[in-house]
Amino acid sequence: MKKNITSVSIIGTGNVGWHLAIALFKSGIEIRHIIARSSAKAGELARIVDASPVANFTDIIKHPDMYLVCVSDDAIPGVVDIIGDSGAVIVHTSGSTGFEVFTHVKENYGVFYPLQTFTRGNEMNYQEIPFLVEGDSKKVVEMLKGLADTISGISREADSEMRKKIHIAAVFACNFSNHLAAVAETILKESGLEVDLLFPLMKETYRKIIHIGPLKAQTGPAARNDTNMIGSHLDALVDFPEELKMYKILTDNIIRYRKKQNE
Amino acid sequence: MKKNITSVSIIGTGNVGWHLAIALFKSGIEIRHIIARSSAKAGELARIVDASPVANFTDIIKHPDMYLVCVSDDAIPGVVDIIGDSGAVIVHTSGSTGFEVFTHVKENYGVFYPLQTFTRGNEMNYQEIPFLVEGDSKKVVEMLKGLADTISGISREADSEMRKKIHIAAVFACNFSNHLAAVAETILKESGLEVDLLFPLMKETYRKIIHIGPLKAQTGPAARNDTNMIGSHLDALVDFPEELKMYKILTDNIIRYRKKQNE
């Protein structure tokens, strides 16, 4: 087995496959095949990254150094069954699929999970993708780190357990934060106001998280334990009973975190 | 009364007073006095904005067009009592103090609330501060909008009720989002990982909120109603009982918002 990956074939043309194909291609990696059931999409991506579109694994003549499996979680086992023992390294890109999906593969398998959200049609800065890598051997881990280096230079070794924790943390920091912005939008709409009024404040909040860390950056009525203001906010949320419950539990937890910090 | 404010005196040298003094000074407004009990701080700020530091209201010889009250909420009534009827417009800068604080002032009062968080020592882009303004007359409202225009060009008229709703929305979108980043940090630490791994993903989350709006930008297991993944996350949070409760209530609300959208 070679020490560095120089050729990759991509399975799947969803958002992850699409962006990783382009990121690797731009980093000088040969993209040998784009493998997908939809030949239109495979053809479109293959043209961009100078690869051959392939609809069927049996049509592959020369294996690449690595297969990058970028299909939905429930489709990964089927793909692994077919090409797990091709001799090439096989790697999936899912944050939530464990290592046990490779149980029947003899060797040279791993995970190459980009900790980023991809949107079709959105030009991304590929230098800002941290990769979480896992391998069945030190050699595969080093190989995957090398591959991450060609794209972003940010990689961390993380086993399936750690990957799950990171995924949960991302749900809190990103999916749930997004929801809180949706709650803000809902509350503002009722007053005839637009959520974009809050964008400068949200930008500054994000900047402070990055520069001083979220624990130290915490401000607001809960952080000050300003019970008068908290009470007046709860009164004002009378027409939003579910949002009121969220307000309470988040406030309680901010106070709890503050106490822990001061212990 | 003049149509445009050309001179302002600032009461208070906390974060709001500090930054507004500099923002107004940079916009070409004359800062006449910096009024504060701490003469050291008043002197420091006065030097920066070419003003006179004043420790006592009785020392003021010539009133400015406007007094900008930037003291803590509980100190506002005291200040209003002393200078409410100086003849100058008097305006406070608090998001959570109502208009009733001016009950005993005859006329020419209002609110000039910057919807932004200020950090001492942090160079800010003053062009990114939306101002919420309220006045006892159309003339005062226009005057305050004009003042906002000299700083950022972003202002909205909002009465005390609306200001409270906006403040609650900001608590959700900013204070609570910050807390969720702190929760992410706490979960990651247990796995020996640092929260900065999530910064690129958080940045992209924020970018998507701004470009496509939070309701449409919602992704993640709750948005997909992926009950398997949600269950596996809840199992993994067994050592974090309070965070588990937050996970549940936020997930339930994302599902609820999705249903409302699809109705």
Side-chain angles (χ1 to χ4, degrees):
Chain A
M1 197 170 70
K2 292 157 70 180
K3 213 178 147 209
N4 291 314
I5 301 290
T6 59
S7 61
V8 167
S9 293
I10 309 271
I11 303 160
T13 53
N15 285 332
V16 174
W18 192 275
H19 280 284
L20 285 187
I22 294 173
L24 289 166
F25 175 70
K26 284 188 172 174
S27 306
I29 304 288
E30 177 202 341
I31 310 298
R32 192 160 293 172
H33 315 98
I34 300 295
I35 304 157
R37 269 170 292 186
S38 152
S39 63
K41 260 185 167 181
E44 193 188 340
L45 179 55
R47 267 191 300 279
I48 297 172
V49 299
D50 204 10
S52 305
V54 171
N56 212 310
F57 289 107
T58 52
D59 295 338
I60 291 171
I61 296 160
K62 199 181 160 206
H63 289 304
D65 294 341
M66 177 182 286
Y67 282 104
L68 208 53
V69 182
C70 308
V71 299
S72 62
D73 283 354
D74 50 346
I76 296 173
V79 172
V80 171
D81 271 357
I82 298 175
I83 53 150
D85 288 313
S86 68
V89 180
I90 179 165
V91 160
H92 78 64
T93 53
S94 163
S96 45
T97 296
F99 221 44
E100 65 280 1
V101 76
F102 298 113
T103 306
H104 301 299
V105 180
K106 225 167 46 208
E107 59 172 3
N108 296 335
Y109 51 85
V111 179
F112 188 67
Y113 172 49
L115 194 56
Q116 184 52 281
T117 178
F118 298 105
T119 314
R120 179 69 58 90
N122 173 37
E123 269 280 333
M124 284 205 65
N125 181 359
Y126 295 119
Q127 257 107 63
E128 289 197 345
I129 309 174
F131 287 91
L132 303 175
V133 306
E134 183 176 12
D136 70 314
S137 66
K138 250 202 148 76
K139 208 168 165 185
V140 168
V141 169
E142 290 310 315
M143 216 172 223
L144 293 176
K145 281 189 169 175
L147 201 63
D149 274 348
T150 67
I151 299 177
S152 70
I154 320 169
S155 65
R156 234 48 83 82
E157 196 178 346
D159 62 21
S160 298
E161 185 104 346
M162 285 162 89
R163 217 161 47 238
K164 184 187 264 189
K165 283 277 164 65
I166 293 166
H167 190 206
I168 293 173
V171 167
F172 274 97
C174 301
N175 300 154
F176 289 166
S177 283
N178 182 89
H179 176 61
L180 294 179
V183 170
E185 183 170 28
T186 304
I187 292 170
L188 288 176
K189 261 190 187 156
E190 205 228 22
S191 296
L193 293 158
E194 297 299 323
V195 70
D196 56 4
L197 262 183
L198 290 178
F199 289 165
L201 189 53
M202 288 166 68
K203 188 176 175 183
E204 180 65 9
T205 302
Y206 169 75
R207 196 197 61 78
K208 282 170 84 171
I209 287 173
I210 286 185
H211 285 270
I212 61 178
L215 283 167
K216 276 189 196 155
Q218 190 67 60
T219 56
R224 295 191 305 273
N225 207 349
D226 183 339
T227 47
N228 280 341
M229 191 179 291
I230 292 167
S232 122
H233 284 178
L234 292 176
D235 289 344
L237 284 171
V238 62
D239 296 329
F240 297 92
E242 296 300 324
E243 287 77 2
L244 186 143
K245 277 187 219 161
M246 281 192 272
Y247 189 104
K248 270 188 185 162
I249 197 168
L250 286 159
T251 293
D252 288 349
N253 274 285
I254 291 173
I255 295 169
R256 185 172 66 87
Y257 270 50
R258 266 288 141 103
K259 278 193 187 143
K260 267 202 306 187
Q261 265 185 294
N262 295 334
E263 265 169 20
Chain B
M1 197 171 69
K2 291 158 69 179
K3 211 180 148 206
N4 291 313
I5 301 290
T6 59
S7 62
V8 168
S9 292
I10 309 272
I11 304 159
T13 54
N15 286 331
V16 174
W18 193 274
H19 280 285
L20 285 187
I22 295 174
L24 289 167
F25 175 69
K26 284 189 173 174
S27 307
I29 304 288
E30 176 202 343
I31 310 298
R32 192 161 291 172
H33 315 98
I34 300 294
I35 305 157
R37 268 169 293 186
S38 153
S39 62
K41 260 187 167 180
E44 193 188 340
L45 179 55
R47 266 191 302 278
I48 297 173
V49 298
D50 204 12
S52 306
V54 171
N56 211 307
F57 288 107
T58 53
D59 295 339
I60 291 172
I61 298 160
K62 197 181 161 206
H63 290 302
D65 295 339
M66 177 181 288
Y67 282 104
L68 207 52
V69 183
C70 309
V71 300
S72 62
D73 284 352
D74 51 344
I76 295 174
V79 172
V80 171
D81 271 357
I82 299 175
I83 52 149
D85 288 312
S86 68
V89 180
I90 179 165
V91 159
H92 78 65
T93 54
S94 163
S96 45
T97 296
F99 221 44
E100 67 278 1
V101 76
F102 297 113
T103 306
H104 301 299
V105 180
K106 222 167 44 204
E107 58 173 1
N108 295 336
Y109 51 85
V111 180
F112 189 67
Y113 171 50
L115 194 57
Q116 184 53 282
T117 177
F118 298 104
T119 313
R120 178 68 59 90
N122 174 38
E123 269 280 333
M124 283 205 66
N125 181 359
Y126 294 120
Q127 258 107 61
E128 291 196 344
I129 309 175
F131 287 91
L132 302 176
V133 307
E134 184 177 11
D136 70 313
S137 66
K138 247 201 150 81
K139 207 169 166 185
V140 168
V141 168
E142 290 310 314
M143 215 174 223
L144 293 176
K145 281 189 171 177
L147 202 62
D149 274 348
T150 68
I151 298 177
S152 70
I154 318 169
S155 66
R156 232 49 82 84
E157 194 178 348
D159 62 22
S160 297
E161 184 104 344
M162 283 163 91
R163 217 162 47 239
K164 185 187 263 189
K165 283 278 164 64
I166 294 167
H167 191 205
I168 293 173
V171 167
F172 274 97
C174 300
N175 299 154
F176 289 167
S177 282
N178 182 90
H179 176 61
L180 294 180
V183 170
E185 182 170 30
T186 304
I187 291 170
L188 288 176
K189 260 191 187 153
E190 205 227 22
S191 295
L193 293 158
E194 297 298 324
V195 70
D196 55 6
L197 262 183
L198 290 179
F199 289 166
L201 189 53
M202 287 165 68
K203 187 175 174 184
E204 180 64 9
T205 301
Y206 169 74
R207 195 196 62 78
K208 282 169 85 171
I209 286 173
I210 286 183
H211 285 270
I212 61 177
L215 282 166
K216 277 190 195 154
Q218 189 67 58
T219 57
R224 294 190 306 272
N225 208 349
D226 183 341
T227 47
N228 280 339
M229 192 178 288
I230 292 167
S232 123
H233 284 178
L234 293 175
D235 289 345
L237 285 171
V238 62
D239 296 330
F240 297 92
E242 296 301 324
E243 286 78 2
L244 186 142
K245 276 186 219 162
M246 280 191 271
Y247 189 104
K248 270 188 185 162
I249 195 168
L250 286 159
T251 292
D252 288 348
N253 275 285
I254 291 174
I255 294 170
R256 185 172 66 86
Y257 270 50
R258 266 289 140 104
K259 277 192 190 145
K260 267 201 305 187
Q261 265 184 292
N262 295 333
E263 265 168 21

